[in-house]
Amino acid sequence: QKEVEQDPGPLSVPEGAIVSLNCTYSNSAFQYFMWYRQYSRKGPELLMYTYSSGNKEDGRFTAQVDKSSKYISLFIRDSQPSDSATYLCAMSPSGGYNKLIFGAGTRLAVHP
Amino acid sequence: GAVVSQHPSWVICKSGTSVKIECRSLDFQATTMFWYRQFPKQSLMLMATSNEGSKATYEQGVEKDKFLINHASLTLSTLTVTSAHPEDSSFYICSAPDSLGNTIYFGEGSWLTVV
């Protein structure tokens, strides 16, 4: 079993839909949780990061962490074709100075 | 926000030659940087952790003599692919934690093609 599980998709939604992306993990030591967006042939772009459990909102993006269930989510409201990309969850037990453990990435396609 | 820059964005080299990729933190100091490799439609694979002023820490299975890492200053780490072969062709990405260590920012990546 991988430390971080993420459905690779692809996930296809119509423009304006609410998108839910999820990851589960097995290591209860993880405290820092991040979501990255990666466009084709580009480096990952940090979208959100959260520490421990709870919610965090930034514009159309909301990140949720449920440590009791070892489950994290990223919601995208009013999805746009420009949101079409691969979304990677990543986590670490002690922040950015330690290596991140990545999920496989979910490919999202938002069609007009 | 923090910015990490890589150079070159893409490079083509002949088999047997060496190629150097630079990773710079532009507006913050990074005592630690990470080097990843990514194959098409796959997730990132950590190659090594670069530490300023000391030797890099390589992940299991990564040849340290082939992938030379030098963290020369608090804002620059370099990855040199020595005696490159076509199977080394890949997307190489560096990253660095922000000044608080809360998260990690990635460079734009470097495409290496060995012919």
Side-chain angles (χ1 to χ4, degrees):
Chain A
Q1 183 185 6
K2 294 180 180 179
E3 274 193 289
V4 180
E5 297 279 359
Q6 183 178 11
D7 186 340
L11 180 63
S12 181
V13 302
E15 183 175 356
I18 297 175
V19 176
S20 174
L21 304 167
N22 312 292
C23 289
T24 59
Y25 62 94
S26 57
N27 188 345
S28 58
F30 289 144
Q31 297 274 20
Y32 291 82
F33 304 91
M34 297 141 202
W35 285 96
Y36 292 89
R37 176 174 63 193
Q38 187 175 26
Y39 292 112
S40 180
R41 304 178 71 86
K42 298 288 185 181
E45 172 193 6
L46 178 67
L47 287 175
M48 307 276 287
Y49 76 88
T50 53
Y51 171 74
S52 194
S53 287
N55 297 354
K56 188 173 185 178
E57 186 174 323
D58 185 1
R60 296 185 295 114
F61 299 93
T62 299
Q64 290 185 350
V65 175
D66 182 349
K67 291 190 66 182
S68 62
S69 303
K70 297 189 180 65
Y71 187 88
I72 69 170
S73 302
L74 177 71
F75 297 95
I76 307 174
R77 291 183 297 280
D78 188 24
S79 56
Q80 303 295 312
S82 59
D83 294 328
S84 299
T86 295
Y87 290 79
L88 298 154
C89 66
M91 46 199 80
S92 165
S94 54
Y97 290 111
N98 290 88
K99 61 183 181 182
L100 293 178
I101 307 301
F102 281 91
T106 299
R107 293 176 62 195
L108 172 68
V110 181
H111 52 87
Chain B
V3 178
V4 175
S5 178
Q6 270 183 254
H7 177 80
S9 300
W10 58 270
V11 57
I12 300 173
C13 71
K14 291 184 178 181
S15 187
T17 63
S18 295
V19 175
K20 180 185 286 187
I21 300 171
E22 293 185 348
C23 178
R24 293 181 184 274
S25 56
L26 296 185
D27 56 358
F28 64 103
Q29 293 183 334
T31 57
T32 301
M33 290 185 176
F34 300 93
W35 286 96
Y36 292 84
R37 184 175 182 175
Q38 187 178 33
F39 292 104
K41 297 186 179 181
Q42 294 189 24
S43 192
L44 286 77
M45 181 191 79
L46 179 66
M47 299 176 64
T49 302
S50 174
N51 304 297
E52 192 270 336
S54 63
K55 292 183 179 180
T57 304
Y58 290 82
E59 295 298 302
Q60 190 174 8
V62 177
E63 299 177 62
K64 61 181 181 181
D65 294 330
K66 180 166 186 62
F67 298 100
L68 299 179
I69 291 173
N70 183 14
H71 201 136
S73 73
L74 289 173
T75 59
L76 174 64
S77 176
T78 60
L79 168 68
T80 301
V81 183
T82 63
S83 186
H85 291 284
E87 57 265 31
D88 298 325
S89 299
S90 190
F91 190 45
Y92 293 88
I93 317 171
C94 70
S95 69
D98 69 357
S99 55
L100 296 177
N102 287 331
T103 190
I104 294 180
Y105 294 94
F106 284 82
E108 309 96 324
S110 300
W111 285 96
L112 170 63
T113 301
V114 184
V115 297

